[in-house]
Amino acid sequence: MILFGFIFFPLLYIIVGFFPFPLKWKKVLALLTVGGNLVNAVNLIYKISHVGMIKVSPGSWPAPFGITLVADRMSAFLLLITAIVAVSIVLFSLQSVDRPRLERGYFQFLFGIIIGVNGSFIAGDLFNLYVWFEVMLMASFILMSHGGEQPQLEGAIKYLILNLISSFFFVAGIGLLYGKMGTLNLADLSNKISQLGDAKVILNPSLVLIVVGFAIKGALFPFFFWLPASYHTPVPVVSALFAGLLTKVGIYSLIRFYTLILYHNSAFWNPWILGVGTVSMVIGVFTASSQFDFRKKLSFHIISQVGYVVIGLGFFTLSGLAGALFFLGHNMFAKTNTYLVAGWVHKRKGTLDLKNLGDVFKESPVWSVLFIISAFSLAGLPPLSGFIGKYSLIKSGIEAHHLFISLVALFVGIFTLFSMLKIWIEVFWKPVKEGVKSFTIAGDERLMVTASGILALMSVLMGIFGVPIIDYCTEAAADLLSPEKYIRFVLNV
Amino acid sequence: MHQLLPYLLTSLLVVGLATPLLEKKLKYRTGVFLSVIPLSFFLYFLWVFTSLGKTESLIIPPIMELVRGGGLSVRLDGLSVLFGLMVSGIGVLVLFYASAYMRKYPRQGYFFMLLTFFMGAMLGMVLTNNLIALFIFWELTSVFSFLLIGFDNHLEKARKAALQGFLITAFGGLCLLFGVLLIGDIAGTYEISELLNKGELITSHTRYPLIFLFLVLAVFTKSAQFPFHFWLPGAMNAPTPVSAYLHSATMVNAGVFLLLRVNPFIGDTLLWDSVLPLFGSITMFTGALLAFGEKDLKRILAFTTISALGIMVLLAGIDTTKSIKAALVFFVVHGLYKGALFMIAGLIDKTTGTRDIDRLGQLWKPLGLVSFAALLSFFSMAGLPPMLGFIGKELIYGAKMQAAYFSNIILVFGILSNMLMVGISFYVFYQVFWPYRRVKKKVAIDGHYARSFLLSFGPVILAAFSLGLGLAPVRIGKYLQNAIYFIRAEEVAVDLGLWHGVNAVLILSIITVGGGILLFIFRKQVAFNVARFNNWLNKFYLPDVFDKVIKNYVKVASRQTDRIQHGYHRYYLITFFVITSLLVVVHLFANSGIAPELQLQPIKSYLLILFIVMAFAAGYAIFSSSRIAAILALGIVGYGIGLVYLFFGAVDLAITQFLVETLVMVIFVLVIYKLPVFAVFSSKASRVRDIFIALLAGGMMGMVVLKSNFFNVETPISDYFINNSLNLAHGKNIVNVILVDFRALDTMGEITVLALAAAGVVALLRLNIKKRENE
């Protein structure tokens, strides 16, 4: 039942949101909803750490005939992180989003995204996963264009169309796969493919379509264009939400799909995954260096950071997958928080152009600290979470004899650092250029600080408690590496 | 007691965090108050050695691990205690000095917080017994020195220097991490005490050159070795207390410390014995030479630091017992005089408002005791008796003669560098302090600073140590003995003394001093020529070169980014479709051997007619110049598909298709009246290209579907639906049962999509926030 909660809580808000309650009620309700979601996620991870996997079949139709929702350690980990991120996003939204937007269903769409993300993390069925993708896409498209400012619409169109292609490839792949294999349940698919023998290469064209679908969602090279084209346009806190959650769902799906389906033919897929990951890492930092907009710089970095996760998947060892999972989680916190700080800067200064910003360190040491923690964490400096993630990935790369890729991952770090320092110097240290009018909107910021503080704290805690968390991720990775366990659990065989 | 040490180190973090609050209470006395911490560390280190034998080390297990195998375990031996003494001892003096120096600065609490963190990181680095922990502290020193160098963040040069220093040292840090990981991969441990006897294993491994390369890069960047030396002079943009600390005992000395730490298991190889002396010599000479051409007191000192670091790297590279001894002694020598001289430079800056040695002059009397401290420190820098510097220099000459490779060249370079050092020491002292030098315009003196107790305390104490240890060098002997035992695995009796009788080394010393005096006599010419050389060299001024490299990199990146993320939607689409189609097509052909044969059946004639009609309609839609006509033609295609469904018995699908098609047509027709007149914007070539892409993508899809049709290995789950929809789900229409029962969750998801879409449309129509000015 616990798994239903992840869909039930946000869905409840979406329904209630249609009723004309006063805004205050809606705000409180939104907080209660994310709170409930968080409690549920904590409960889940507690249970999962004892039993390993949990499943539920809506309608009680047995797998593989009905839909099965499955959570393993990886799902529970990501659900918890999503829940924490969601709490801080809602907190931040309360004080940073303008009233007209809040009144026009802002939280409904936000919970649309959360329901999609939660659903994706527990979907045990390929078509069900597609449905959650659709929910996410619709909600995110609306949030992106919500407010209807001109740059927003331009970004939103690109976002929508390129992501629709992803959906198209994905659903086409699902259809083809179903046509061949006659099943949609991931465990069942994996099981049946393993019995195919050499004939399984026949599935590759359909699998390519699905993987491309995931790669577009995950903003991997060469399918990332939609991300930098759109992420800097919506309300800053919405960018933060997107940056924290959306691409990660694509990457999660790729990991799940790889460890259940693609690994059957890893001789073919592995080099591709490694190559795509490596190029994404490099191209992300490279393009980010050239940006002079706070959010755009961060957007390009997302590409690089999903690249890290993908190489961890490509190593396909216990420590590699554990590192990838940890990195994924770390990135959700750190990335979201850097965007939140950008959101605050935007609210304060009315611009995010690095050239016209400055003096923030003098004006607000608190926000400077919040930024520098997350930024240095992204750059992989110890003892923050990014260091643990990067360390684990590089170490596992060396152990897997991928010396070159490990080196690339290592030195991409210096370019990440360069970008982060650039932001730090331009926004926080530099005095504001003369002649640039600065309009400072005062106002209560306590909720915003709390929101950002939670995430920064998470970056620190994930660093300090790196060992137990990595241990947990290693257990999760062990589950991923023995899919027969997953299959047996889901199919009851 | 020892067990408490890791906690003490961690508690520095708490103290550091509390300093901004402390500062509110204590004001400028914060520094003095904080100095209790390094002082207690200093006393602790002194005490530790009373109980530690000549060949003993003390290892304290970690209190926590940040990563598996990377715990903060502490190691107390001669090396760590010697470095610890210098870090904490000079730390005390720097905090004293900073209290007075920073008095007029804003954000003092923040400053002392950084300084405390920095000190903690440095102490952690020298004390740890774990390479991963060592790396972490190493990076932390880089982080905090970045924040300290950029403390005056309103100054552009400070920001630039901070960025430069951090990028270079962080690069080195990453190299260190990689090297450490490689070592761990081979040896299976990161604990230094366990690595000590695994030298054979590591140095004979095929990856050893790689390990060596990465460690050396780490050392060279941190310890400002040629060609990475250029960030160090920039680092003097930090407030002077920081420079004094950075140069004397911390930060740049970390590289030397690392060399000595890893020497037992990385050293003693051909690479080690040749590369390190080579770069060390170059750095030693370049630093000393360039120092002669500078006019800014702090810059001069910065270049002499580079030279001194070169000497230490060189000595670590020669890798004999004697050279290690020399390196350790010289580390102390250098720390003492460099700390004192930097503090004096800062004091002079505060007193007179300038650091230009041409403008300064006749400061002997006004500065009183400090002048004397300066004299002693310059003596130590020049390596003259009876200072500790003299002992250091003698040891260095002795060690250089032992170098395994090109010892003669090293010796000659060494003598030249030392001559330069002697010359500079005399030259600077003469310019700044000599009471009888004629100066055009006397500099104004702010007596308040000149007599400040807190400012002069540090240099005087350090100079006193330089002198005292020179006279009684046995005091540090036991630390050296223990350190050398663990570095060289040899038990040696260390006897340090000023007088060893007349020998080759003494003669070299005399030659050096003679040469130095000659340089001093011809100081004007030398300085002029070096300055000219410097000017020529400034064309390749490395900090600027570095800047330019970064600028160019950004430029290239932005050009390439414009090419990658060009903003043209159509090219994004082309990329997506072409790449995917090609990938799929390649697979289709690659696996054609295993793929089942196409079993084509004769097509029914009415279907054929239908297809021909649809094909014509599609073609018409493409070439029509009227929107309405194109949409109607597309409608024909859509209805045609519906008919195909119908022919094959999928009634539900057919009904849906007809409904959707009708709706779409109606909406299209309604919208079309609002659109501007139809016009063709694309060129012919691009349209031809688009045809091919469309054909490729369509053909790909068609082929995949066709092939899938002939490959059914399993009984589909739909059989279960057919068998059970009536008796278990009690529904006669299977499609409906699937939608609302078997896969109800999917349907709920899709309903959510629709609900959100509806709400979204309403929101979009009602909420039209005007474009803000700054967007």
Side-chain angles (χ1 to χ4, degrees):
Chain A
M1 278 335 259
I2 197 170
L3 293 183
F4 281 134
F6 291 104
I7 292 160
F8 174 75
F9 282 111
L11 187 66
L12 194 68
Y13 185 91
I14 293 176
I15 295 168
V16 174
F18 280 109
F19 293 94
F21 291 123
L23 186 58
K24 206 168 194 180
W25 291 21
K26 284 189 181 175
K27 282 180 173 177
V28 173
L29 201 64
L31 265 179
L32 285 177
T33 310
V34 279
N37 191 40
L38 179 62
V39 171
N40 201 30
V42 171
N43 190 11
L44 176 73
I45 205 161
Y46 174 74
K47 279 212 172 126
I48 286 269
S49 59
H50 291 300
V51 299
M53 283 181 204
I54 288 179
K55 68 170 176 179
V56 62
S57 307
S60 306
W61 296 107
F65 307 110
I67 295 168
T68 314
L69 299 178
V70 193
D72 61 355
R73 288 194 173 84
M74 170 163 76
S75 310
F77 181 65
L78 294 175
L79 282 168
L80 178 63
I81 290 171
T82 306
I84 297 171
V85 169
V87 168
S88 84
I89 290 283
V90 168
L91 281 175
F92 198 91
S93 301
L94 289 175
Q95 272 180 350
S96 72
V97 178
D98 44 297
R99 198 181 164 92
R101 279 192 173 93
L102 287 181
E103 278 174 345
R104 296 274 168 240
Y106 170 82
F107 283 120
Q108 262 178 318
F109 308 126
L110 190 146
F111 283 113
I113 288 183
I114 303 220
I115 201 175
V117 174
N118 279 350
S120 304
F121 287 153
I122 52 176
D125 183 288
L126 207 50
F127 189 77
N128 193 234
L129 183 63
Y130 168 78
V131 170
W132 298 127
F133 271 29
E134 287 300 282
V135 176
M136 222 159 52
L137 177 60
M138 180 51 77
S140 56
F141 169 66
I142 297 168
L143 270 185
M144 195 158 257
S145 51
H146 200 220
E149 294 170 36
Q150 201 180 339
Q152 265 189 307
L153 293 181
E154 193 191 327
I157 292 291
K158 281 184 183 152
Y159 174 82
L160 182 67
I161 292 183
L162 294 179
N163 271 287
L164 274 177
I165 294 175
S166 155
S167 299
F168 162 68
F169 284 147
F170 187 19
V171 80
I174 293 175
L176 292 168
L177 206 55
Y178 178 71
K180 290 171 193 164
M181 304 305 298
T183 184
L184 289 167
N185 185 296
L186 280 167
D188 199 30
L189 265 176
S190 176
N191 194 26
K192 284 182 174 157
I193 290 174
S194 65
Q195 292 158 9
L196 277 185
D198 285 343
K200 64 191 163 213
V201 286
I202 214 78
L203 301 174
N204 275 351
S206 340
L207 296 182
V208 165
L209 287 174
I210 294 177
V211 170
V212 168
F214 291 151
I216 295 175
K217 283 277 168 209
L220 285 169
F221 176 84
F223 303 112
F224 56 78
F225 307 113
W226 59 271
L227 193 152
S230 60
Y231 268 27
H232 61 283
T233 57
V235 189
V237 64
V238 171
S239 315
L241 176 70
F242 289 5
L245 300 182
L246 292 190
T247 48
K248 313 304 186 276
V249 176
I251 300 301
Y252 159 83
S253 311
L254 187 62
I255 295 177
R256 183 65 83 203
F257 203 63
Y258 189 98
T259 52
L260 282 175
I261 313 285
L262 300 182
Y263 86 100
H264 288 301
N265 199 358
S266 62
F268 165 73
W269 286 104
N270 199 41
W272 276 103
I273 293 284
L274 280 174
V276 164
T278 312
V279 179
S280 299
M281 271 192 311
V282 174
I283 214 151
V285 286
F286 180 69
T287 46
S289 320
S290 67
Q291 301 302 310
F292 284 97
D293 180 283
F294 200 148
R295 266 196 290 181
K296 274 192 191 167
K297 228 178 176 53
L298 294 173
S299 303
F300 278 101
H301 269 292
I302 296 177
I303 302 162
S304 160
Q305 277 134 4
V306 292
Y308 272 100
V309 183
V310 171
I311 58 158
L313 172 64
F315 294 152
F316 208 59
T317 58
L318 194 61
S319 54
L321 275 170
L325 190 54
F326 186 96
F327 197 93
L328 196 61
H330 132 75
N331 205 248
M332 288 164 85
F333 286 135
K335 197 87 232 179
T336 311
N337 198 31
T338 45
Y339 270 94
L340 286 187
V341 177
W344 175 82
V345 169
H346 185 264
K347 189 165 190 265
R348 240 337 183 21
K349 301 269 180 182
T351 177
L352 282 173
D353 186 352
L354 295 185
K355 283 175 189 145
N356 293 332
L357 285 167
D359 269 342
V360 174
F361 182 55
K362 202 163 72 185
E363 287 164 21
S364 174
V366 175
W367 283 97
S368 310
V369 170
L370 290 174
F371 174 77
I372 211 165
I373 288 177
S374 298
F376 278 4
S377 180
L378 282 178
L381 291 176
L384 301 164
S385 57
F387 163 70
I388 312 279
K390 210 168 275 188
Y391 165 87
S392 312
L393 283 174
I394 293 169
K395 185 172 180 312
S396 62
I398 292 174
E399 283 163 3
H401 300 285
H402 286 295
L403 225 51
F404 174 72
I405 295 177
S406 311
L407 268 176
V408 173
L410 186 77
F411 288 117
V412 161
I414 196 89
F415 291 94
T416 315
L417 182 65
F418 172 64
S419 286
M420 293 301 143
L421 292 182
K422 202 82 196 158
I423 294 177
W424 173 253
I425 287 174
E426 298 290 321
V427 178
F428 292 85
W429 268 1
K430 180 186 73 181
V432 178
K433 220 167 38 181
E434 273 176 52
V436 176
K437 66 167 180 151
S438 68
F439 63 99
T440 302
I441 306 161
D444 192 7
E445 286 175 354
R446 274 172 299 180
L447 287 181
M448 289 162 77
V449 173
T450 317
S452 174
I454 291 172
L455 296 179
L457 185 69
M458 286 300 149
S459 281
V460 175
L461 289 182
M462 268 185 95
I464 294 173
F465 297 106
V467 171
I469 299 176
I470 280 280
D471 282 352
Y472 177 87
C473 291
T474 312
E475 278 179 69
D479 289 349
L480 292 177
L481 283 179
S482 48
E484 57 285 353
K485 201 169 149 193
Y486 181 91
I487 293 167
R488 241 181 290 127
F489 178 76
V490 174
L491 299 181
N492 275 333
V493 286
Chain B
M1 173 69 190
H2 298 300
Q3 309 301 326
L4 288 178
L5 200 54
Y7 293 98
L8 266 177
L9 270 176
T10 356
S11 69
L12 271 179
L13 189 76
V14 183
V15 177
L17 286 175
T19 36
L21 298 175
L22 272 178
E23 197 263 339
K24 284 209 175 101
K25 267 252 144 74
L26 295 168
K27 303 288 177 211
Y28 74 97
R29 284 176 291 261
T30 321
V32 180
F33 178 79
L34 283 176
S35 66
V36 176
I37 306 162
L39 186 67
S40 48
F41 269 102
F42 186 78
L43 294 174
Y44 170 76
F45 290 136
L46 284 179
W47 174 74
V48 164
F49 239 72
T50 56
S51 59
L52 212 58
K54 282 174 191 166
T55 57
E56 271 179 316
S57 67
L58 195 69
I59 288 154
I60 303 162
I63 48 167
M64 69 164 290
E65 287 183 324
L66 210 55
V67 293
R68 276 263 171 268
L72 175 56
S73 52
V74 170
R75 172 185 182 80
L76 290 166
D77 62 5
L79 184 64
S80 59
V81 171
L82 188 71
F83 269 76
L85 279 171
M86 289 295 282
V87 172
S88 56
I90 295 185
V92 175
L93 301 175
V94 163
L95 280 171
F96 261 71
Y97 183 79
S99 313
Y101 191 91
M102 303 300 290
R103 204 163 167 176
K104 297 237 166 82
Y105 274 75
R107 291 179 294 153
Q108 285 180 44
Y110 168 66
F111 176 82
F112 282 110
M113 176 171 83
L114 291 178
L115 205 58
T116 314
F117 285 155
F118 182 65
M119 191 184 299
M122 198 61 207
L123 277 174
M125 204 203 89
V126 299
L127 286 177
T128 182
N129 185 39
N130 188 293
L131 285 180
I132 295 286
L134 192 148
F135 159 78
I136 290 171
F137 287 119
W138 175 287
E139 282 291 72
L140 286 179
T141 58
S142 299
V143 171
F144 294 122
S145 67
F146 163 73
L147 295 171
L148 283 167
I149 294 171
F151 184 74
D152 290 320
N153 57 45
H154 54 280
L155 301 176
E156 196 188 350
K157 56 180 185 180
R159 295 197 299 271
K160 235 182 206 170
L163 178 69
Q164 226 169 62
F166 196 17
L167 282 181
I168 290 168
T169 49
F171 164 77
L174 290 178
C175 291
L176 174 62
L177 176 64
F178 205 74
V180 166
L181 283 173
L182 286 175
I183 292 174
D185 194 40
I186 296 169
T189 178
Y190 298 115
E191 293 288 309
I192 290 164
S193 45
E194 289 169 37
L195 284 165
L196 285 178
N197 50 21
K198 294 202 168 153
E200 195 69 24
L201 186 70
I202 297 167
T203 49
S204 60
H205 198 275
T206 45
R207 278 184 187 165
Y208 171 74
L210 212 55
I211 294 175
F212 178 78
L213 173 75
F214 282 115
L215 287 184
V216 155
L217 278 173
V219 170
F220 282 11
T221 47
K222 194 85 165 182
S223 282
Q225 295 297 295
F226 179 86
F228 301 107
H229 61 278
F230 58 91
W231 70 268
L232 187 56
M236 64 160 211
N237 284 305
T240 305
V242 179
S243 309
Y245 205 28
L246 223 67
H247 284 255
S248 61
T250 61
M251 191 69 183
V252 291
N253 296 284
V256 178
F257 174 79
L258 180 70
L259 279 183
L260 296 173
R261 243 316 164 233
V262 301
N263 186 336
F265 44 93
I266 307 288
D268 231 354
T269 59
L270 179 69
L271 272 173
W272 181 281
D273 293 351
S274 56
V275 172
L276 293 179
L278 180 68
F279 281 89
S281 308
I282 296 174
T283 312
M284 164 180 78
F285 182 71
T286 328
L289 184 70
L290 294 183
F292 228 110
E294 294 293 340
K295 294 290 171 208
D296 182 332
L297 208 47
K298 268 176 98 176
R299 275 186 80 83
I300 295 174
L301 291 175
F303 277 107
T304 58
T305 305
I306 293 174
S307 174
L309 292 167
I311 293 175
M312 287 188 247
V313 169
L314 160 69
L315 289 173
I318 292 173
D319 202 12
T320 60
T321 307
K322 227 175 183 175
S323 78
I324 298 296
K325 185 165 78 180
L328 290 168
V329 173
F330 189 67
F331 163 68
V332 178
V333 170
H334 174 251
L336 293 176
Y337 78 69
K338 195 49 65 68
L341 289 178
F342 258 109
M343 290 186 201
I344 292 169
L347 189 148
I348 290 174
D349 192 10
K350 284 268 171 190
T351 312
T352 63
T354 179
R355 295 194 306 247
D356 187 332
I357 55 166
D358 282 344
R359 289 181 58 203
L360 291 165
Q362 300 185 349
L363 289 180
W364 177 260
K365 264 193 205 130
L367 291 189
L369 193 57
V370 173
S371 312
F372 192 65
L375 179 68
L376 289 180
S377 299
F378 276 121
F379 256 55
S380 196
M381 179 159 131
L384 296 177
M387 309 301 296
L388 188 61
F390 175 71
I391 298 171
K393 197 180 61 180
E394 298 257 292
L395 283 170
I396 292 168
Y397 278 152
K400 279 174 184 164
M401 288 183 195
Q402 285 187 329
Y405 304 96
F406 19 82
S407 65
N408 288 332
I409 303 174
I410 291 175
L411 200 58
V412 171
F413 265 97
I415 293 169
L416 283 175
S417 316
N418 275 345
M419 283 178 183
L420 284 166
M421 283 292 215
V422 174
I424 291 164
S425 304
F426 287 173
Y427 173 49
V428 174
F429 184 78
Y430 173 81
Q431 290 284 50
V432 178
F433 290 99
W434 194 245
Y436 308 114
R437 187 172 86 89
R438 244 179 276 154
V439 279
K440 274 187 211 143
K441 200 178 131 207
K442 263 190 145 182
V443 281
I445 285 172
D446 184 344
H448 168 71
Y449 285 110
R451 284 187 303 276
S452 161
F453 167 73
L454 285 174
L455 284 180
S456 44
F457 182 71
V460 170
I461 296 286
L462 286 174
F465 266 98
S466 280
L467 179 66
L469 288 177
L471 294 174
V474 278
R475 291 275 159 209
I476 52 173
K478 57 182 176 181
Y479 302 105
L480 299 184
Q481 206 163 356
N482 188 302
I484 290 167
Y485 174 74
F486 285 106
I487 296 170
R488 299 286 310 161
E490 253 176 82
E491 218 179 317
V492 285
V494 176
D495 56 327
L496 301 172
L498 284 171
W499 182 249
H500 289 286
V502 181
N503 53 19
V505 171
L506 185 70
I507 293 168
L508 286 179
S509 283
I510 293 169
I511 294 174
T512 310
V513 174
I517 291 171
L518 270 179
L519 280 173
F520 171 69
I521 293 168
F522 296 105
R523 60 188 176 273
K524 292 238 165 80
Q525 289 84 334
V526 175
F528 176 73
N529 281 318
V530 173
R532 211 165 59 176
F533 173 66
N534 259 359
N535 280 338
W536 173 77
L537 209 62
N538 275 354
K539 271 189 249 167
F540 321 97
Y541 187 49
L542 285 173
D544 286 351
V545 172
F546 186 83
D547 254 17
K548 244 181 236 160
V549 167
I550 286 195
K551 270 201 190 114
N552 273 327
Y553 161 70
V554 171
K555 214 184 277 170
V556 170
S558 98
R559 208 177 307 138
Q560 294 305 320
T561 306
D562 287 346
R563 202 172 285 172
I564 299 165
Q565 188 74 29
H566 39 65
Y568 292 106
H569 202 55
R570 49 183 176 278
Y571 296 123
Y572 296 154
L573 292 173
I574 290 174
T575 319
F576 279 29
F577 278 112
V578 169
I579 290 179
T580 314
S581 305
L582 285 179
L583 276 173
V584 172
V585 169
V586 165
H587 275 286
L588 283 174
F589 286 105
N591 306 324
S592 51
I594 310 160
E597 287 297 310
L598 297 183
Q599 298 146 9
L600 299 177
Q601 290 164 348
I603 189 167
K604 300 262 174 19
S605 53
Y606 53 86
L607 271 180
L608 190 66
I609 295 168
L610 186 59
F611 285 135
I612 292 170
V613 171
M614 280 163 68
F616 265 111
Y620 183 75
I622 293 170
F623 294 105
S624 157
S625 59
S626 147
R627 282 205 188 95
I628 285 274
I631 284 161
L632 289 178
L634 275 181
I636 294 174
V637 178
Y639 285 117
I641 292 172
L643 281 176
V644 175
Y645 289 148
L646 204 56
F647 286 138
F648 284 99
V651 186
D652 298 70
L653 273 180
I655 293 172
T656 318
Q657 177 75 19
F658 286 140
L659 275 176
V660 169
E661 205 57 48
T662 314
L663 260 177
V664 168
M665 296 262 286
V666 170
I667 292 172
F668 261 133
V669 171
L670 283 176
V671 170
I672 251 168
Y673 280 109
K674 303 235 172 192
L675 290 179
V677 188
F678 190 78
V680 180
F681 290 109
S682 51
S683 69
K684 198 162 183 194
S686 70
R687 269 180 289 164
V688 171
R689 177 200 64 203
D690 292 348
I691 287 178
F692 279 107
I693 293 167
L695 285 178
L696 176 68
M700 172 273 286
M701 229 36 226
M703 264 162 53
V704 177
V705 172
L706 201 59
K707 281 213 161 181
S708 300
N709 215 16
F710 299 102
F711 185 80
N712 293 308
V713 280
E714 300 283 343
T715 46
I717 51 170
S718 50
D719 291 357
Y720 177 90
F721 297 151
I722 296 167
N723 296 333
N724 293 311
S725 100
L726 187 58
N727 46 10
L728 286 181
H730 310 292
K732 284 181 183 155
N733 185 330
I734 301 175
V735 176
N736 284 353
V737 174
I738 292 176
L739 285 179
V740 302
D741 200 342
F742 290 122
R743 299 190 66 91
L745 191 64
D746 287 344
T747 313
M748 195 196 74
E750 293 295 354
I751 291 172
T752 314
V753 175
L754 284 180
L756 286 174
V761 170
V762 173
L764 273 179
L765 290 180
R766 291 241 184 111
L767 179 70
N768 242 324
I769 293 170
K770 279 203 183 131
K771 193 169 165 271
R772 275 191 230 146
E773 276 172 46
N774 277 293
E775 285 273 324

